[in-house]
mmCIF file of all heavy atoms in Angstrom:
data_model
loop_
_atom_site.group_PDB
_atom_site.id
_atom_site.type_symbol
_atom_site.label_atom_id
_atom_site.label_comp_id
_atom_site.label_asym_id
_atom_site.label_seq_id
_atom_site.Cartn_x
_atom_site.Cartn_y
_atom_site.Cartn_z
ATOM 1 N N THR A 666 -17.069 25.617 13.662
ATOM 2 C CA THR A 666 -17.847 25.124 14.802
ATOM 3 C C THR A 666 -18.226 26.200 15.808
ATOM 4 O O THR A 666 -19.202 26.043 16.542
ATOM 5 C CB THR A 666 -17.077 24.023 15.547
ATOM 6 O OG1 THR A 666 -15.807 24.536 15.959
ATOM 7 C CG2 THR A 666 -16.862 22.816 14.652
ATOM 8 N N LEU A 667 -17.472 27.291 15.897
ATOM 9 C CA LEU A 667 -17.778 28.337 16.873
ATOM 10 C C LEU A 667 -18.777 29.317 16.272
ATOM 11 O O LEU A 667 -18.424 30.166 15.467
ATOM 12 C CB LEU A 667 -16.502 29.076 17.281
ATOM 13 C CG LEU A 667 -15.425 28.229 17.953
ATOM 14 C CD1 LEU A 667 -14.219 29.079 18.299
ATOM 15 C CD2 LEU A 667 -15.969 27.566 19.199
ATOM 16 N N THR A 668 -20.029 29.167 16.675
ATOM 17 C CA THR A 668 -21.071 30.019 16.096
ATOM 18 C C THR A 668 -21.833 30.833 17.130
ATOM 19 O O THR A 668 -22.487 31.790 16.792
ATOM 20 C CB THR A 668 -22.088 29.163 15.324
ATOM 21 O OG1 THR A 668 -22.649 28.182 16.221
ATOM 22 C CG2 THR A 668 -21.426 28.452 14.165
ATOM 23 N N SER A 669 -21.752 30.448 18.392
ATOM 24 C CA SER A 669 -22.549 31.165 19.407
ATOM 25 C C SER A 669 -21.717 31.552 20.622
ATOM 26 O O SER A 669 -22.228 31.689 21.714
ATOM 27 C CB SER A 669 -23.730 30.287 19.858
ATOM 28 O OG SER A 669 -23.269 29.065 20.398
ATOM 29 N N GLY A 670 -20.420 31.713 20.429
ATOM 30 C CA GLY A 670 -19.565 32.111 21.545
ATOM 31 C C GLY A 670 -18.906 30.925 22.193
ATOM 32 O O GLY A 670 -19.524 29.894 22.428
ATOM 33 N N PHE A 671 -17.636 31.065 22.506
ATOM 34 C CA PHE A 671 -16.857 29.967 23.093
ATOM 35 C C PHE A 671 -16.423 30.340 24.491
ATOM 36 O O PHE A 671 -15.691 31.298 24.697
ATOM 37 C CB PHE A 671 -15.627 29.697 22.220
ATOM 38 C CG PHE A 671 -14.750 28.600 22.752
ATOM 39 C CD1 PHE A 671 -15.202 27.296 22.782
ATOM 40 C CD2 PHE A 671 -13.477 28.875 23.208
ATOM 41 C CE1 PHE A 671 -14.397 26.279 23.268
ATOM 42 C CE2 PHE A 671 -12.662 27.867 23.688
ATOM 43 C CZ PHE A 671 -13.125 26.566 23.718
ATOM 44 N N THR A 672 -16.889 29.597 25.494
ATOM 45 C CA THR A 672 -16.522 29.865 26.883
ATOM 46 C C THR A 672 -16.188 28.553 27.563
ATOM 47 O O THR A 672 -16.804 27.526 27.301
ATOM 48 C CB THR A 672 -17.676 30.543 27.655
ATOM 49 O OG1 THR A 672 -18.834 29.699 27.601
ATOM 50 C CG2 THR A 672 -18.014 31.900 27.057
ATOM 51 N N ILE A 673 -15.182 28.583 28.441
ATOM 52 C CA ILE A 673 -14.840 27.421 29.252
ATOM 53 C C ILE A 673 -14.965 27.824 30.712
ATOM 54 O O ILE A 673 -14.330 28.763 31.165
ATOM 55 C CB ILE A 673 -13.416 26.933 28.974
ATOM 56 C CG1 ILE A 673 -13.317 26.404 27.544
ATOM 57 C CG2 ILE A 673 -13.014 25.839 29.947
ATOM 58 C CD1 ILE A 673 -11.968 25.860 27.178
ATOM 59 N N GLY A 674 -15.782 27.104 31.441
ATOM 60 C CA GLY A 674 -15.973 27.427 32.841
ATOM 61 C C GLY A 674 -17.450 27.492 33.180
ATOM 62 O O GLY A 674 -18.315 27.301 32.342
ATOM 63 N N GLY A 675 -17.753 27.790 34.454
ATOM 64 C CA GLY A 675 -19.136 27.909 34.875
ATOM 65 C C GLY A 675 -19.884 26.603 34.745
ATOM 66 O O GLY A 675 -19.378 25.531 35.078
ATOM 67 N N GLU A 676 -21.102 26.692 34.235
ATOM 68 C CA GLU A 676 -21.964 25.522 34.162
ATOM 69 C C GLU A 676 -21.478 24.489 33.142
ATOM 70 O O GLU A 676 -21.860 23.316 33.228
ATOM 71 C CB GLU A 676 -23.397 25.952 33.806
ATOM 72 C CG GLU A 676 -24.051 26.833 34.874
ATOM 73 C CD GLU A 676 -25.454 27.236 34.474
ATOM 74 O OE1 GLU A 676 -25.846 26.904 33.328
ATOM 75 O OE2 GLU A 676 -26.149 27.863 35.286
ATOM 76 N N THR A 677 -20.669 24.906 32.183
ATOM 77 C CA THR A 677 -20.259 23.983 31.124
ATOM 78 C C THR A 677 -18.905 23.329 31.386
ATOM 79 O O THR A 677 -18.445 22.543 30.554
ATOM 80 C CB THR A 677 -20.177 24.718 29.769
ATOM 81 O OG1 THR A 677 -19.115 25.686 29.810
ATOM 82 C CG2 THR A 677 -21.492 25.410 29.450
ATOM 83 N N VAL A 678 -18.267 23.629 32.519
ATOM 84 C CA VAL A 678 -16.892 23.164 32.708
ATOM 85 C C VAL A 678 -16.800 21.631 32.699
ATOM 86 O O VAL A 678 -15.845 21.071 32.160
ATOM 87 C CB VAL A 678 -16.296 23.740 34.012
ATOM 88 C CG1 VAL A 678 -17.057 23.221 35.245
ATOM 89 C CG2 VAL A 678 -14.819 23.429 34.115
ATOM 90 N N LYS A 679 -17.810 20.942 33.262
ATOM 91 C CA LYS A 679 -17.777 19.485 33.291
ATOM 92 C C LYS A 679 -17.783 18.914 31.878
ATOM 93 O O LYS A 679 -16.978 18.037 31.529
ATOM 94 C CB LYS A 679 -18.963 18.955 34.086
ATOM 95 C CG LYS A 679 -18.987 17.434 34.244
ATOM 96 C CD LYS A 679 -20.174 17.007 35.108
ATOM 97 C CE LYS A 679 -20.207 15.496 35.277
ATOM 98 N NZ LYS A 679 -21.358 15.070 36.134
#
Side-chain angles (χ1 to χ4, degrees):
T666 57
L667 299 180
T668 58
S669 59
F671 179 67
T672 58
I673 294 182
E676 296 180 355
T677 66
V678 64
K679 183 177 180 179

